[in-house]
């Protein structure tokens, strides 16, 4: 006699070691250097808010209602940390990502239509082509080495996309130079900014000089691409959409320098983050063969033998759920920071002007008051019905409120097209030690994501 269907096995992927006792300032510095998330105490996964003093008074906010107040209702009173902004400035100027107040508002108004759905659909063929190339590169790497590092592969795939839509094209670019400049930028600025968010004294050595040198490589490169565009016929890519974008209220357009800084901000904010969402999704599917089979069945039914295109997106619901669950467990932007400009109250506690607010998205997404079995991988949490009962501010991979990620639609489309294409073609299994989630600016898989890929049919 048939009994009830067996429950799917519980999959618990790697997580960050949590601090179970208060840390001294030097321990905080040491841990923040190694992995920022290790300074998040165990209590942060169970309490709505924690407060303390490490040089300055700080608060860690995990309560969805308080997060809504900080990120939306009182957004003007909680700007991004000025120190972080000053550090980012040499690389991305006063671009959308970095600006505040009126200078942020006009840029956001000008750039918002660039990311409208109809433009994203027009960019999709580039993503489809990059997905197909990625599937081929994985085959080549398997033939050459018998294994892949999914993180490296996904960095290559999203870099392909950004080159084609932001910089098209390949002809004006030294791809290796850009790639190296971006990754050393991420390596260095990540560590710098968190030490500063915590107001760690300036005598603690920082790799800022390295960062300035490396980030400066990117700017002249982008200037050359922009100059080459001045005489070229218009194209419908991100660069030209931004080149002709204007603020509907003032009619203001970007100067070449503003355009450069914003394009660099898109690359820095968009390329590695999307690769991370994909790498973690591939890893999670590799350790959960049943979920992988379900996603593959969906992808093959929609795609047949070709790569995924925009028209297939509505049929890729489970693939989308896998990505959402991957970004819950491993949010690429796992830790945001703000500073209080005014006195306020959050969760009934006083906030004083000058206090630092840490928003540990990683802990929010694994919070025991908000999620059932928070450390387990379960894409069904994001089934359309289940998602309806959630507080909007308990799941924030792209932030929220007026400063929500402007590239969210772009990133989700790209990630879905790439993941579906790879799953339809390949079957993935883990190879080697599990990656360690470690954060500096973004949440990276330390040790890489070792996988084997076999033809998936
Ligand atoms: C999975 C991929 C991505 C993730 C997880 C992500 C995450 C985020 C988050 C959390 C924020 C808010 C930061 C804060 O409030 O402090 C943000 C802002 C931003 N993101 Fe993304 N992002 C992704 C992809 C992209 C892409 C593809 C682009 C551009 C093409 C982009 C461009 C930006 C910009 C310009 C901002 C600043 C927006 C503003 O302040 O008005 N991001 N992103």
């Amino acid at each position: 006699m048939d009994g009830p269907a067996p429950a799917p096995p519980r999959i618990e992927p790697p997580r960050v070691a949590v601090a179970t006792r208060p840390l001294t300032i030097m321990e905080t510095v040491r841990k923040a250097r190694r992995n920022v998330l290790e300074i998040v105490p165990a209590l942060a996964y169970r309490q709505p808010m924690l407060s303390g003093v490490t040089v300055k008074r700080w608060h860690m906010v995990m309560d969805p209602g308080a997060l809504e107040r900080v990120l939306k209702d009182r957004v003007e009173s909680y700007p991004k940390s000025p120190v972080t902004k000053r550090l980012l400035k040499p690389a991305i100027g006063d671009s959308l990502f970095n600006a505040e107040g009126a200078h942020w508002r006009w840029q956001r108004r000008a750039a918002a239509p660039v990311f409208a759905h109809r433009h994203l659909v027009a960019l999709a063929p580039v993503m489809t082509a990059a997905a197909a190339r990625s599937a081929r590169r994985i085959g080549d790497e398997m033939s050459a080495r018998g294994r892949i590092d999914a993180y490296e592969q996904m960095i290559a795939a999203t870099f392909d996309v950004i080159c084609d839509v932001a910089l098209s094209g390949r002809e004006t670019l030294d791809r290796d130079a850009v790639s190296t400049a971006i990754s050393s930028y991420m390596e260095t600025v990540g560590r710098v900014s968190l030490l500063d968010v915590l107001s760690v004294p300036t005598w603690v050595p920082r790799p800022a000089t390295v960062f300035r040198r490396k980030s400066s490589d990117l700017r002249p490169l982008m200037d050359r691409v922009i100059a080459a565009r001045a005489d070229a016929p218009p194209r419908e890519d991100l660069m030209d959409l931004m080149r002709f974008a204007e603020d509907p209220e003032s009619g203001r357009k970007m100067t070449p320098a503003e355009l450069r800084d914003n394009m660099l901000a898109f690359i820095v904010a968009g390329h590695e983050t999307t690769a991370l969402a994909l790498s973690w999704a591939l890893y999670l599917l590799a350790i959960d063969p049943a979920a992988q089979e379900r996603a593959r069945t969906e992808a093959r039914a929609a795609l047949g033998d070709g790569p995924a295109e925009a028209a297939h997106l509505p049929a890729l619901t489970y693939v989308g759920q896998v990505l959402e669950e991957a970004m819950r467990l491993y949010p690429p932007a796992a830790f945001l920071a703000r500073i209080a400009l005014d006195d306020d109250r959050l969760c009934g506690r006083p906030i004083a002007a000058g206090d630092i607010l840490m928003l540990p998205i990683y802990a929010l997404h694994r919070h025991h008051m908000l999620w059932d079995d928070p450390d387990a991988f379960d894409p069904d949490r994001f089934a359309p019905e289940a998602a309806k009962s959630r507080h909007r501010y308990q799941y924030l991979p792209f932030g929220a409120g007026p400063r929500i990620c402007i590239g969210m639609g772009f990133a989700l489309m790209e990630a879905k097209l790439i993941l579906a294409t790879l799953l339809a073609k390949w079957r993935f299994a883990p190879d080697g030690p599990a990656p360690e989630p470690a954060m500096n600016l973004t949440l990276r898989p330390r040790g890489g994501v070792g996988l084997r890929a076999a033809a998936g049919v």
Side-chain angles (χ1 to χ4, degrees):
M1 218 175 57
D2 287 348
R10 182 179 178 281
I11 306 287
E12 187 178 316
R15 60 191 160 112
V16 172
V18 291
T20 47
R21 60 173 176 78
L23 301 174
T24 65
I25 183 165
M26 282 324 286
E27 281 174 327
T28 303
V29 170
R30 222 176 14 252
K31 280 185 187 281
R33 281 254 178 76
R34 212 191 90 76
N35 184 357
V36 166
L37 293 174
E38 287 183 15
I39 68 164
V40 177
L43 273 178
Y45 298 79
R46 296 183 181 271
Q47 298 285 329
M49 181 167 149
L50 301 177
S51 305
V53 179
T54 310
V55 187
K56 276 196 167 187
R57 192 170 156 76
W58 54 260
H59 311 274
M60 269 188 198
V61 186
M62 285 72 60
D63 174 67
L67 285 162
E68 184 165 7
R69 188 170 171 85
V70 171
L71 294 172
K72 191 181 85 187
D73 302 340
R74 298 193 43 132
V75 64
E76 304 280 342
S77 303
Y78 292 106
K80 295 185 178 185
S81 135
V83 196
T84 318
K85 282 190 298 208
R86 204 164 56 239
L87 285 157
L88 284 169
K89 205 171 165 170
I92 58 171
D94 278 326
S95 63
L96 189 53
F97 195 90
N98 227 14
E100 239 25 272
H103 193 50
W104 167 76
R105 265 192 303 277
W106 87 262
Q107 295 188 81
R108 180 88 193 196
R109 281 194 302 258
V114 168
F115 290 87
H117 185 70
R118 66 175 199 289
H119 288 145
L120 297 185
V121 170
L123 296 175
V126 166
M127 299 174 181
T128 298
R133 279 196 295 274
S134 173
R136 280 198 296 277
R137 264 197 308 269
I138 287 175
D140 295 345
E141 185 74 356
M142 283 304 298
S143 308
R145 289 187 229 284
R147 76 191 292 273
I148 60 162
D149 179 343
Y151 175 67
E152 272 174 18
Q153 293 292 328
M154 294 304 96
I155 285 283
T158 60
F159 187 64
D160 231 15
V161 172
I162 206 77
C163 281
D164 277 354
V165 304
L167 307 163
S168 59
R170 293 141 200 280
E171 62 279 3
T172 43
L173 267 189
D174 175 349
R175 290 168 64 84
D176 288 346
V178 181
S179 195
T180 314
I182 295 172
S183 39
S184 40
Y185 167 86
M186 301 297 281
E187 277 288 341
T188 49
V189 76
R191 292 174 200 211
V192 174
S193 65
L194 206 94
L195 293 178
D196 287 284
V197 166
L198 290 171
S199 293
V200 166
T202 43
W203 48 261
V204 175
R206 290 153 160 79
T209 44
V210 185
F211 154 60
R212 277 201 201 95
R213 184 162 52 75
K214 293 291 182 189
S215 68
S216 62
D217 296 347
L218 273 170
R219 306 181 101 199
L221 213 141
M222 185 60 82
D223 285 334
R224 282 204 297 283
V225 176
I226 290 172
R229 282 294 176 101
D231 314 316
R235 322 176 190 196
E236 208 186 337
D237 67 1
L238 209 55
M239 169 73 93
D240 266 11
L241 289 168
M242 284 294 286
R243 203 149 68 96
F244 300 114
E246 65 176 43
D247 173 10
E249 283 186 19
S250 63
R252 182 166 170 190
K253 284 191 182 161
M254 298 202 178
T255 63
E258 286 166 347
L259 179 61
R260 172 200 61 209
D261 289 344
N262 273 293
M263 294 308 291
L264 286 174
F266 291 166
I267 295 179
V268 167
H271 147 68
E272 205 218 6
T273 43
T274 311
L276 284 168
L278 278 161
S279 313
W280 287 112
L282 283 171
Y283 175 72
L284 289 163
L285 290 176
I287 60 170
D288 188 340
Q292 186 180 161
E293 208 43 53
R294 194 169 149 195
R296 174 173 304 104
T297 304
E298 181 184 88
R300 289 196 65 83
L303 276 52
D305 285 329
E309 296 170 10
H312 300 131
L313 290 169
L316 296 171
T317 46
Y318 189 69
V319 171
Q321 285 173 226
V322 168
L323 281 163
E324 290 191 276
E325 175 69 342
M327 287 190 287
R328 182 185 70 83
L329 287 166
Y330 304 107
F335 199 107
L336 307 179
R338 296 291 191 267
I339 187 143
L341 282 190
D342 310 305
D343 293 352
D344 192 15
R345 289 190 87 77
L346 292 174
C347 297
R349 271 189 224 178
I351 307 291
D355 285 1
I356 292 160
L357 267 78
M358 299 188 240
L359 318 180
I361 306 301
Y362 180 87
L364 174 75
H365 286 183
R366 291 174 183 250
H367 204 283
H368 289 258
M369 286 165 70
L370 302 171
W371 304 91
D372 289 333
D373 198 3
D375 294 317
F377 173 58
D378 177 12
D380 279 327
R381 296 178 205 271
F382 290 93
E385 281 313 304
K388 276 187 198 151
S389 60
R390 245 193 316 269
H391 192 295
R392 166 68 188 90
Y393 282 71
Q394 84 178 66
Y395 179 65
L396 299 175
F398 294 100
R403 301 214 65 153
I404 192 170
C405 176
I406 202 168
M408 178 170 75
F410 182 102
L412 288 174
M413 176 180 279
E414 175 180 359
K416 255 179 151 182
L417 293 176
I418 294 176
L419 187 58
T421 301
L422 298 185
L423 287 171
K425 175 112 176 106
W426 299 107
R427 195 178 292 274
F428 295 95
D431 184 276
E436 179 197 350
M439 161 139 186
N440 49 49
L441 200 65
T442 54
L443 185 54
R444 293 171 161 186
R446 186 173 284 158
V449 180
L451 300 181
R452 267 170 291 120
V457 191

